[in-house]
Amino acid sequence: MAVSPSPWLPGGLLAFILLQLPGLDAAHLDVAGPPEPILAVVGEDAELPCRLAPNVSAEHVELRWLREQESPAVLVHRDGRAQDAEQMARYRGRASLVQEGLAEGRVALRIRGVQASDAGEYRCSFRQDDSHGEARARLQVAALGSEPHIHMEVQENGETRLECTSVGWFPEPQVQWETATGEKFASMSESRNPDEEGLFSVAASVIIRDASVENVSCCIQNPLLGQEKAVEVSIPAPFFPRLTPWMVAVAVILMVLGILTIGSIFFIWRLYKERSRQRRGEFSSTEKLLKELKWKKATLHAVDVTLDPDTAHPHLFLYGDSKSVRLEDARQKLPEKPERFDSWPCVLGREAFTSGRHYWEVEVGDRTDWAIGVCREDVMKKGFDPLTPENGFWAVELYGNGYWALTPQRTPLPLPGPPRQVGIFLDYESGDIVFYNMMDGSRIYTYSKASFSGPLRPFFCLWSCGKKPLTICPITDELEGVTVVADAQDPSKEIPLCPMGQDTASGDIEMLHSKLTSTQPNQEAP
């Protein structure tokens, strides 16, 4: 007897499959956190919002607020109440859930009495049966410290030492000294030490050697709040100590020695003047090599860099056909654009490089607190992401009284002297970015074998206000037929330089650089 298939079997199987389809979409809950970091002041309350999207009730959903690890949590809310047993000890009594919008899927984590250790990233996690979803929220914590205090000490040699101290800052503040005439200068030494609560105590000192300086102020600024506290002190006028007999005897001896010294100096000066006539108009071999090195780099790979105003932070002002930039206290009313920096005071060059070799120079002069280099065109321009190669920045900076390469751990650069003019050489294919001190031709720092993806653009940043701007140097416009004398003792040894537009081996530049720096002490940075 043949068995016929049941007529309802296909229909029942189809219904079973359709019933299972909603479960496929229910495996994930759509959770949204705040798009921007939440800023809170130490001691005040902070709320981190989080919601289910679209508006889905969270009354019967398990909610967890987490930090770096899964357990214990900052806050666990399940079955309509908080689960204290699963909460971190340091958040008990401080963290609670704002439930006003719970029926619409809106909740918020409230932290009472914010501490410095509360700063960082939080995760808002919803779970219902087998469905799960989470979002992230970032809490930035700031504290405005105490009024600065200046301790003054007049040393035996007549110099005045000032030490500015303050406590209770977070994050690490910036210290700036300024005279009554508006001249700003950095501290000779600074220390920032956290206390038991994570708040920083600041101590910065400076020595005043100029007797004409009458008033000096110490300004301490919180970079997150954009607020500062300052104190001013008057420098006492120098006074003459009472003359003692031994001081009179020393003065007489010094006077006699001075007369003899003047006579000797006059005789030596006459000899020097005669010899200087013979050497006038001549350059030393090192000066010639430096000049030709700069010319060769400029003519071979020079690019005409200009600043892009659409990327400039509102406190940055561009001058001279977008060739100079200066940081000022005033804030410009500029249209909000995605490519504009809104936190770091930075600006990019208009030019974008996707291949080849490129070279430009920046006049930094004697101003302090700057950073220059190269960055990816698509770097994050909103917020305070670190300016490191991992985030697309390859740069060096002068901050305070030290030079640094902006590596993840900040590499100190022991330079023999301040580079008033810095050359930047980019080799896209090899992944090399080289910084040169164009005062003596020495290399400042090299980022080697970097992996580039996408366009790169020149990068400029200023950390403090000042009358002197950063300026992009013009392209060198020299004669096309120039020859470098490699050995002054042997005129037959010459290195011909190619005119602009012709290719040349990079080994020629390295040979010039090695000859140029061979007479200098070995101060090469790591």
mmCIF file of all heavy atoms in Angstrom, residues 357-401:
data_model
loop_
_atom_site.group_PDB
_atom_site.id
_atom_site.type_symbol
_atom_site.label_atom_id
_atom_site.label_comp_id
_atom_site.label_asym_id
_atom_site.label_seq_id
_atom_site.Cartn_x
_atom_site.Cartn_y
_atom_site.Cartn_z
ATOM 1 N N ARG A 357 58.911 62.773 -3.860
ATOM 2 C CA ARG A 357 59.683 63.437 -2.814
ATOM 3 C C ARG A 357 59.337 64.921 -2.803
ATOM 4 O O ARG A 357 59.191 65.540 -3.854
ATOM 5 C CB ARG A 357 61.180 63.260 -3.056
ATOM 6 C CG ARG A 357 61.642 61.805 -3.016
ATOM 7 C CD ARG A 357 63.096 61.689 -3.407
ATOM 8 N NE ARG A 357 63.569 60.300 -3.330
ATOM 9 C CZ ARG A 357 64.778 59.914 -3.696
ATOM 10 N NH1 ARG A 357 65.637 60.809 -4.175
ATOM 11 N NH2 ARG A 357 65.135 58.651 -3.602
ATOM 12 N N HIS A 358 59.256 65.475 -1.591
ATOM 13 C CA HIS A 358 58.828 66.866 -1.443
ATOM 14 C C HIS A 358 59.604 67.502 -0.300
ATOM 15 O O HIS A 358 59.893 66.849 0.704
ATOM 16 C CB HIS A 358 57.324 66.932 -1.167
ATOM 17 C CG HIS A 358 56.512 66.137 -2.148
ATOM 18 N ND1 HIS A 358 56.157 66.610 -3.381
ATOM 19 C CD2 HIS A 358 56.025 64.863 -2.064
ATOM 20 C CE1 HIS A 358 55.468 65.676 -4.025
ATOM 21 N NE2 HIS A 358 55.375 64.604 -3.237
ATOM 22 N N TYR A 359 59.911 68.788 -0.451
ATOM 23 C CA TYR A 359 60.732 69.492 0.546
ATOM 24 C C TYR A 359 60.218 70.917 0.713
ATOM 25 O O TYR A 359 59.878 71.592 -0.255
ATOM 26 C CB TYR A 359 62.192 69.526 0.080
ATOM 27 C CG TYR A 359 63.103 70.301 1.005
ATOM 28 C CD1 TYR A 359 63.577 69.728 2.174
ATOM 29 C CD2 TYR A 359 63.478 71.607 0.713
ATOM 30 C CE1 TYR A 359 64.404 70.427 3.038
ATOM 31 C CE2 TYR A 359 64.304 72.318 1.573
ATOM 32 C CZ TYR A 359 64.765 71.727 2.721
ATOM 33 O OH TYR A 359 65.574 72.425 3.562
ATOM 34 N N TRP A 360 60.138 71.359 1.961
ATOM 35 C CA TRP A 360 59.816 72.747 2.275
ATOM 36 C C TRP A 360 60.476 73.124 3.592
ATOM 37 O O TRP A 360 60.915 72.277 4.359
ATOM 38 C CB TRP A 360 58.300 72.962 2.327
ATOM 39 C CG TRP A 360 57.585 72.224 3.408
ATOM 40 C CD1 TRP A 360 57.227 72.658 4.635
ATOM 41 C CD2 TRP A 360 57.118 70.852 3.328
ATOM 42 N NE1 TRP A 360 56.580 71.688 5.337
ATOM 43 C CE2 TRP A 360 56.494 70.574 4.574
ATOM 44 C CE3 TRP A 360 57.168 69.872 2.359
ATOM 45 C CZ2 TRP A 360 55.937 69.334 4.843
ATOM 46 C CZ3 TRP A 360 56.600 68.636 2.644
ATOM 47 C CH2 TRP A 360 55.991 68.376 3.859
ATOM 48 N N GLU A 361 60.568 74.425 3.842
ATOM 49 C CA GLU A 361 61.226 74.939 5.049
ATOM 50 C C GLU A 361 60.299 75.872 5.796
ATOM 51 O O GLU A 361 59.482 76.581 5.193
ATOM 52 C CB GLU A 361 62.520 75.675 4.689
ATOM 53 C CG GLU A 361 63.577 74.765 4.105
ATOM 54 C CD GLU A 361 64.861 75.499 3.718
ATOM 55 O OE1 GLU A 361 64.939 76.729 3.956
ATOM 56 O OE2 GLU A 361 65.765 74.843 3.183
ATOM 57 N N VAL A 362 60.437 75.873 7.117
ATOM 58 C CA VAL A 362 59.596 76.697 7.990
ATOM 59 C C VAL A 362 60.499 77.556 8.867
ATOM 60 O O VAL A 362 61.420 77.038 9.515
ATOM 61 C CB VAL A 362 58.672 75.840 8.880
ATOM 62 C CG1 VAL A 362 57.795 76.728 9.751
ATOM 63 C CG2 VAL A 362 57.820 74.910 8.019
ATOM 64 N N GLU A 363 60.247 78.855 8.877
ATOM 65 C CA GLU A 363 60.984 79.786 9.739
ATOM 66 C C GLU A 363 60.291 79.814 11.102
ATOM 67 O O GLU A 363 59.185 80.349 11.257
ATOM 68 C CB GLU A 363 60.981 81.189 9.121
ATOM 69 C CG GLU A 363 61.762 82.224 9.913
ATOM 70 C CD GLU A 363 63.278 82.033 9.795
ATOM 71 O OE1 GLU A 363 63.738 81.527 8.770
ATOM 72 O OE2 GLU A 363 63.980 82.409 10.740
ATOM 73 N N VAL A 364 60.933 79.202 12.123
ATOM 74 C CA VAL A 364 60.383 79.213 13.480
ATOM 75 C C VAL A 364 60.966 80.346 14.316
ATOM 76 O O VAL A 364 60.402 80.724 15.347
ATOM 77 C CB VAL A 364 60.628 77.856 14.180
ATOM 78 C CG1 VAL A 364 59.931 76.753 13.415
ATOM 79 C CG2 VAL A 364 62.113 77.544 14.290
ATOM 80 N N GLY A 365 62.120 80.895 13.890
ATOM 81 C CA GLY A 365 62.730 82.020 14.602
ATOM 82 C C GLY A 365 63.046 81.673 16.040
ATOM 83 O O GLY A 365 63.460 80.568 16.374
ATOM 84 N N ASP A 366 62.839 82.646 16.916
ATOM 85 C CA ASP A 366 63.110 82.424 18.328
ATOM 86 C C ASP A 366 61.828 82.297 19.143
ATOM 87 O O ASP A 366 61.857 82.440 20.356
ATOM 88 C CB ASP A 366 63.974 83.564 18.893
ATOM 89 C CG ASP A 366 63.307 84.930 18.682
ATOM 90 O OD1 ASP A 366 62.214 84.984 18.096
ATOM 91 O OD2 ASP A 366 63.884 85.938 19.097
ATOM 92 N N ARG A 367 60.677 82.036 18.473
ATOM 93 C CA ARG A 367 59.446 81.840 19.223
ATOM 94 C C ARG A 367 59.439 80.442 19.849
ATOM 95 O O ARG A 367 60.132 79.527 19.393
ATOM 96 C CB ARG A 367 58.210 82.039 18.349
ATOM 97 C CG ARG A 367 57.954 80.940 17.316
ATOM 98 C CD ARG A 367 56.495 80.912 16.907
ATOM 99 N NE ARG A 367 55.691 80.446 18.019
ATOM 100 C CZ ARG A 367 54.663 81.105 18.518
ATOM 101 N NH1 ARG A 367 54.311 82.268 18.025
ATOM 102 N NH2 ARG A 367 53.976 80.613 19.551
ATOM 103 N N THR A 368 58.649 80.261 20.881
ATOM 104 C CA THR A 368 58.584 78.996 21.606
ATOM 105 C C THR A 368 57.234 78.334 21.383
ATOM 106 O O THR A 368 56.284 78.948 20.897
ATOM 107 C CB THR A 368 58.794 79.226 23.107
ATOM 108 O OG1 THR A 368 57.767 80.128 23.581
ATOM 109 C CG2 THR A 368 60.149 79.845 23.380
ATOM 110 N N ASP A 369 57.182 77.049 21.723
ATOM 111 C CA ASP A 369 55.939 76.287 21.742
ATOM 112 C C ASP A 369 55.320 76.164 20.347
ATOM 113 O O ASP A 369 54.328 76.807 20.026
ATOM 114 C CB ASP A 369 54.921 76.907 22.723
ATOM 115 C CG ASP A 369 55.436 76.939 24.137
ATOM 116 O OD1 ASP A 369 56.296 76.114 24.485
ATOM 117 O OD2 ASP A 369 54.984 77.801 24.888
ATOM 118 N N TRP A 370 55.901 75.282 19.524
ATOM 119 C CA TRP A 370 55.380 75.006 18.194
ATOM 120 C C TRP A 370 55.560 73.534 17.869
ATOM 121 O O TRP A 370 56.333 72.832 18.493
ATOM 122 C CB TRP A 370 56.073 75.867 17.142
ATOM 123 C CG TRP A 370 57.579 75.857 17.194
ATOM 124 C CD1 TRP A 370 58.377 76.804 17.752
ATOM 125 C CD2 TRP A 370 58.479 74.843 16.702
ATOM 126 N NE1 TRP A 370 59.695 76.466 17.635
ATOM 127 C CE2 TRP A 370 59.797 75.269 16.987
ATOM 128 C CE3 TRP A 370 58.303 73.631 16.043
ATOM 129 C CZ2 TRP A 370 60.915 74.518 16.649
ATOM 130 C CZ3 TRP A 370 59.432 72.887 15.699
ATOM 131 C CH2 TRP A 370 60.715 73.335 15.994
ATOM 132 N N ALA A 371 54.833 73.086 16.867
ATOM 133 C CA ALA A 371 54.980 71.726 16.337
ATOM 134 C C ALA A 371 54.752 71.788 14.837
ATOM 135 O O ALA A 371 53.801 72.435 14.370
ATOM 136 C CB ALA A 371 53.986 70.762 16.989
ATOM 137 N N ILE A 372 55.632 71.127 14.046
ATOM 138 C CA ILE A 372 55.498 71.103 12.594
ATOM 139 C C ILE A 372 55.808 69.705 12.094
ATOM 140 O O ILE A 372 56.498 68.938 12.760
ATOM 141 C CB ILE A 372 56.433 72.128 11.921
ATOM 142 C CG1 ILE A 372 57.894 71.873 12.326
ATOM 143 C CG2 ILE A 372 56.033 73.547 12.239
ATOM 144 C CD1 ILE A 372 58.878 72.791 11.642
ATOM 145 N N GLY A 373 55.278 69.380 10.905
ATOM 146 C CA GLY A 373 55.554 68.081 10.328
ATOM 147 C C GLY A 373 54.574 67.744 9.224
ATOM 148 O O GLY A 373 54.183 68.611 8.433
ATOM 149 N N VAL A 374 54.159 66.472 9.182
ATOM 150 C CA VAL A 374 53.297 65.935 8.136
ATOM 151 C C VAL A 374 52.199 65.121 8.808
ATOM 152 O O VAL A 374 52.419 64.501 9.854
ATOM 153 C CB VAL A 374 54.105 65.037 7.165
ATOM 154 C CG1 VAL A 374 53.207 64.449 6.098
ATOM 155 C CG2 VAL A 374 55.229 65.825 6.518
ATOM 156 N N CYS A 375 51.009 65.127 8.204
ATOM 157 C CA CYS A 375 49.922 64.298 8.733
ATOM 158 C C CYS A 375 49.066 63.790 7.584
ATOM 159 O O CYS A 375 49.114 64.321 6.475
ATOM 160 C CB CYS A 375 49.063 65.063 9.743
ATOM 161 S SG CYS A 375 48.004 66.317 8.995
ATOM 162 N N ARG A 376 48.297 62.736 7.883
ATOM 163 C CA ARG A 376 47.334 62.247 6.897
ATOM 164 C C ARG A 376 46.232 63.274 6.701
ATOM 165 O O ARG A 376 45.866 64.012 7.627
ATOM 166 C CB ARG A 376 46.733 60.917 7.337
ATOM 167 C CG ARG A 376 47.697 59.751 7.375
ATOM 168 C CD ARG A 376 46.933 58.426 7.352
ATOM 169 N NE ARG A 376 45.922 58.384 8.386
ATOM 170 C CZ ARG A 376 46.103 57.842 9.587
ATOM 171 N NH1 ARG A 376 47.261 57.286 9.890
ATOM 172 N NH2 ARG A 376 45.133 57.829 10.468
ATOM 173 N N GLU A 377 45.690 63.329 5.501
ATOM 174 C CA GLU A 377 44.635 64.293 5.204
ATOM 175 C C GLU A 377 43.370 64.011 6.003
ATOM 176 O O GLU A 377 42.630 64.922 6.368
ATOM 177 C CB GLU A 377 44.334 64.276 3.706
ATOM 178 C CG GLU A 377 43.384 65.387 3.266
ATOM 179 C CD GLU A 377 43.183 65.385 1.763
ATOM 180 O OE1 GLU A 377 42.898 64.301 1.214
ATOM 181 O OE2 GLU A 377 43.326 66.451 1.144
ATOM 182 N N ASP A 378 43.135 62.723 6.360
ATOM 183 C CA ASP A 378 41.890 62.341 7.023
ATOM 184 C C ASP A 378 42.052 62.176 8.526
ATOM 185 O O ASP A 378 41.283 61.444 9.148
ATOM 186 C CB ASP A 378 41.353 61.051 6.414
ATOM 187 C CG ASP A 378 42.333 59.892 6.567
ATOM 188 O OD1 ASP A 378 43.503 60.146 6.933
ATOM 189 O OD2 ASP A 378 41.946 58.743 6.337
ATOM 190 N N VAL A 379 43.052 62.837 9.159
ATOM 191 C CA VAL A 379 43.214 62.696 10.605
ATOM 192 C C VAL A 379 42.006 63.278 11.339
ATOM 193 O O VAL A 379 41.292 64.137 10.810
ATOM 194 C CB VAL A 379 44.505 63.402 11.080
ATOM 195 C CG1 VAL A 379 45.730 62.724 10.530
ATOM 196 C CG2 VAL A 379 44.487 64.881 10.701
ATOM 197 N N MET A 380 41.798 62.811 12.565
ATOM 198 C CA MET A 380 40.708 63.312 13.392
ATOM 199 C C MET A 380 41.000 64.762 13.778
ATOM 200 O O MET A 380 42.012 65.051 14.391
ATOM 201 C CB MET A 380 40.549 62.444 14.641
ATOM 202 C CG MET A 380 39.420 62.896 15.547
ATOM 203 S SD MET A 380 37.800 62.730 14.768
ATOM 204 C CE MET A 380 37.681 60.950 14.632
ATOM 205 N N LYS A 381 40.107 65.666 13.415
ATOM 206 C CA LYS A 381 40.306 67.094 13.683
ATOM 207 C C LYS A 381 39.399 67.603 14.792
ATOM 208 O O LYS A 381 39.438 68.784 15.117
ATOM 209 C CB LYS A 381 40.077 67.905 12.403
ATOM 210 C CG LYS A 381 40.988 67.467 11.252
ATOM 211 C CD LYS A 381 40.707 68.246 9.988
ATOM 212 C CE LYS A 381 41.641 67.805 8.871
ATOM 213 N NZ LYS A 381 41.411 66.430 8.449
ATOM 214 N N LYS A 382 38.599 66.736 15.349
ATOM 215 C CA LYS A 382 37.725 67.120 16.448
ATOM 216 C C LYS A 382 38.179 66.388 17.712
ATOM 217 O O LYS A 382 38.376 65.177 17.687
ATOM 218 C CB LYS A 382 36.259 66.770 16.135
ATOM 219 C CG LYS A 382 35.776 67.229 14.767
ATOM 220 C CD LYS A 382 35.846 68.746 14.605
ATOM 221 C CE LYS A 382 35.332 69.156 13.231
ATOM 222 N NZ LYS A 382 35.453 70.612 13.014
ATOM 223 N N GLY A 383 38.330 67.114 18.797
ATOM 224 C CA GLY A 383 38.742 66.494 20.048
ATOM 225 C C GLY A 383 40.245 66.575 20.256
ATOM 226 O O GLY A 383 40.969 67.261 19.532
ATOM 227 N N PHE A 384 40.714 65.844 21.277
ATOM 228 C CA PHE A 384 42.102 65.920 21.708
ATOM 229 C C PHE A 384 42.827 64.585 21.519
ATOM 230 O O PHE A 384 43.493 64.106 22.410
ATOM 231 C CB PHE A 384 42.177 66.354 23.188
ATOM 232 C CG PHE A 384 41.730 67.761 23.430
ATOM 233 C CD1 PHE A 384 40.403 68.047 23.763
ATOM 234 C CD2 PHE A 384 42.630 68.804 23.329
ATOM 235 C CE1 PHE A 384 39.994 69.346 23.988
ATOM 236 C CE2 PHE A 384 42.235 70.110 23.559
ATOM 237 C CZ PHE A 384 40.891 70.377 23.883
ATOM 238 N N ASP A 385 42.665 63.947 20.356
ATOM 239 C CA ASP A 385 43.433 62.731 20.092
ATOM 240 C C ASP A 385 44.915 63.051 20.076
ATOM 241 O O ASP A 385 45.329 64.090 19.540
ATOM 242 C CB ASP A 385 43.017 62.121 18.753
ATOM 243 C CG ASP A 385 41.671 61.415 18.856
ATOM 244 O OD1 ASP A 385 41.181 61.242 19.991
ATOM 245 O OD2 ASP A 385 41.132 61.039 17.811
ATOM 246 N N PRO A 386 45.785 62.190 20.629
ATOM 247 C CA PRO A 386 47.233 62.475 20.654
ATOM 248 C C PRO A 386 47.800 62.630 19.245
ATOM 249 O O PRO A 386 47.395 61.941 18.311
ATOM 250 C CB PRO A 386 47.815 61.243 21.365
ATOM 251 C CG PRO A 386 46.672 60.676 22.136
ATOM 252 C CD PRO A 386 45.442 60.951 21.345
ATOM 253 N N LEU A 387 48.754 63.557 19.104
ATOM 254 C CA LEU A 387 49.394 63.811 17.815
ATOM 255 C C LEU A 387 50.555 62.840 17.645
ATOM 256 O O LEU A 387 51.723 63.216 17.797
ATOM 257 C CB LEU A 387 49.864 65.270 17.742
ATOM 258 C CG LEU A 387 48.808 66.331 18.060
ATOM 259 C CD1 LEU A 387 49.396 67.723 17.951
ATOM 260 C CD2 LEU A 387 47.614 66.189 17.123
ATOM 261 N N THR A 388 50.267 61.582 17.334
ATOM 262 C CA THR A 388 51.272 60.535 17.228
ATOM 263 C C THR A 388 51.146 59.851 15.874
ATOM 264 O O THR A 388 50.112 59.979 15.192
ATOM 265 C CB THR A 388 51.087 59.497 18.349
ATOM 266 O OG1 THR A 388 49.771 58.926 18.236
ATOM 267 C CG2 THR A 388 51.229 60.141 19.719
ATOM 268 N N PRO A 389 52.181 59.106 15.449
ATOM 269 C CA PRO A 389 52.081 58.387 14.168
ATOM 270 C C PRO A 389 50.891 57.437 14.108
ATOM 271 O O PRO A 389 50.327 57.240 13.034
ATOM 272 C CB PRO A 389 53.415 57.639 14.105
ATOM 273 C CG PRO A 389 54.369 58.483 14.886
ATOM 274 C CD PRO A 389 53.557 59.035 16.011
ATOM 275 N N GLU A 390 50.497 56.829 15.240
ATOM 276 C CA GLU A 390 49.350 55.926 15.226
ATOM 277 C C GLU A 390 48.082 56.661 14.802
ATOM 278 O O GLU A 390 47.175 56.050 14.230
ATOM 279 C CB GLU A 390 49.148 55.293 16.606
ATOM 280 C CG GLU A 390 50.164 54.234 16.967
ATOM 281 C CD GLU A 390 51.514 54.817 17.373
ATOM 282 O OE1 GLU A 390 51.622 56.055 17.457
ATOM 283 O OE2 GLU A 390 52.453 54.043 17.573
ATOM 284 N N ASN A 391 48.006 57.956 15.100
ATOM 285 C CA ASN A 391 46.848 58.748 14.721
ATOM 286 C C ASN A 391 47.081 59.550 13.449
ATOM 287 O O ASN A 391 46.280 60.424 13.104
ATOM 288 C CB ASN A 391 46.472 59.697 15.868
ATOM 289 C CG ASN A 391 45.957 58.947 17.071
ATOM 290 O OD1 ASN A 391 45.369 57.878 16.940
ATOM 291 N ND2 ASN A 391 46.174 59.481 18.256
ATOM 292 N N GLY A 392 48.200 59.282 12.761
ATOM 293 C CA GLY A 392 48.432 59.924 11.460
ATOM 294 C C GLY A 392 49.265 61.174 11.496
ATOM 295 O O GLY A 392 49.229 61.961 10.555
ATOM 296 N N PHE A 393 50.049 61.444 12.578
ATOM 297 C CA PHE A 393 50.879 62.639 12.688
ATOM 298 C C PHE A 393 52.344 62.229 12.809
ATOM 299 O O PHE A 393 52.685 61.374 13.625
ATOM 300 C CB PHE A 393 50.483 63.482 13.914
ATOM 301 C CG PHE A 393 49.087 64.046 13.845
ATOM 302 C CD1 PHE A 393 48.004 63.300 14.303
ATOM 303 C CD2 PHE A 393 48.855 65.299 13.326
ATOM 304 C CE1 PHE A 393 46.724 63.807 14.251
ATOM 305 C CE2 PHE A 393 47.569 65.820 13.271
ATOM 306 C CZ PHE A 393 46.489 65.055 13.732
ATOM 307 N N TRP A 394 53.211 62.841 12.015
ATOM 308 C CA TRP A 394 54.662 62.664 12.124
ATOM 309 C C TRP A 394 55.247 64.060 12.269
ATOM 310 O O TRP A 394 55.350 64.808 11.281
ATOM 311 C CB TRP A 394 55.214 61.962 10.881
ATOM 312 C CG TRP A 394 54.715 60.563 10.710
ATOM 313 C CD1 TRP A 394 55.292 59.420 11.162
ATOM 314 C CD2 TRP A 394 53.520 60.146 10.024
ATOM 315 N NE1 TRP A 394 54.537 58.322 10.820
ATOM 316 C CE2 TRP A 394 53.450 58.728 10.121
ATOM 317 C CE3 TRP A 394 52.511 60.822 9.342
ATOM 318 C CZ2 TRP A 394 52.415 57.997 9.561
ATOM 319 C CZ3 TRP A 394 51.473 60.086 8.789
ATOM 320 C CH2 TRP A 394 51.432 58.694 8.900
ATOM 321 N N ALA A 395 55.635 64.438 13.489
ATOM 322 C CA ALA A 395 56.015 65.824 13.739
ATOM 323 C C ALA A 395 57.077 65.902 14.831
ATOM 324 O O ALA A 395 57.309 64.954 15.579
ATOM 325 C CB ALA A 395 54.785 66.661 14.144
ATOM 326 N N VAL A 396 57.747 67.073 14.899
ATOM 327 C CA VAL A 396 58.635 67.435 16.000
ATOM 328 C C VAL A 396 58.109 68.735 16.590
ATOM 329 O O VAL A 396 57.394 69.492 15.932
ATOM 330 C CB VAL A 396 60.101 67.609 15.532
ATOM 331 C CG1 VAL A 396 60.647 66.311 14.987
ATOM 332 C CG2 VAL A 396 60.217 68.703 14.486
ATOM 333 N N GLU A 397 58.465 69.005 17.867
ATOM 334 C CA GLU A 397 57.938 70.198 18.519
ATOM 335 C C GLU A 397 58.964 70.791 19.468
ATOM 336 O O GLU A 397 59.891 70.096 19.937
ATOM 337 C CB GLU A 397 56.671 69.873 19.295
ATOM 338 C CG GLU A 397 56.902 69.094 20.581
ATOM 339 C CD GLU A 397 55.675 69.059 21.491
ATOM 340 O OE1 GLU A 397 54.617 69.580 21.087
ATOM 341 O OE2 GLU A 397 55.783 68.518 22.594
ATOM 342 N N LEU A 398 58.799 72.072 19.729
ATOM 343 C CA LEU A 398 59.469 72.764 20.830
ATOM 344 C C LEU A 398 58.394 73.106 21.835
ATOM 345 O O LEU A 398 57.445 73.834 21.526
ATOM 346 C CB LEU A 398 60.165 74.040 20.333
ATOM 347 C CG LEU A 398 60.632 75.022 21.422
ATOM 348 C CD1 LEU A 398 61.633 74.360 22.351
ATOM 349 C CD2 LEU A 398 61.221 76.278 20.820
ATOM 350 N N TYR A 399 58.510 72.520 23.053
ATOM 351 C CA TYR A 399 57.536 72.797 24.096
ATOM 352 C C TYR A 399 58.296 73.106 25.381
ATOM 353 O O TYR A 399 59.102 72.319 25.837
ATOM 354 C CB TYR A 399 56.604 71.609 24.307
ATOM 355 C CG TYR A 399 55.557 71.879 25.370
ATOM 356 C CD1 TYR A 399 54.453 72.671 25.108
ATOM 357 C CD2 TYR A 399 55.706 71.354 26.651
ATOM 358 C CE1 TYR A 399 53.509 72.923 26.083
ATOM 359 C CE2 TYR A 399 54.759 71.590 27.628
ATOM 360 C CZ TYR A 399 53.665 72.382 27.340
ATOM 361 O OH TYR A 399 52.739 72.640 28.295
ATOM 362 N N GLY A 400 58.005 74.274 25.947
ATOM 363 C CA GLY A 400 58.758 74.685 27.133
ATOM 364 C C GLY A 400 60.191 74.968 26.746
ATOM 365 O O GLY A 400 60.479 75.789 25.883
ATOM 366 N N ASN A 401 61.114 74.252 27.349
ATOM 367 C CA ASN A 401 62.533 74.449 27.046
ATOM 368 C C ASN A 401 63.145 73.200 26.432
ATOM 369 O O ASN A 401 64.356 73.000 26.512
ATOM 370 C CB ASN A 401 63.296 74.838 28.316
ATOM 371 C CG ASN A 401 63.137 73.802 29.423
ATOM 372 O OD1 ASN A 401 62.359 72.872 29.280
ATOM 373 N ND2 ASN A 401 63.859 73.962 30.496
#
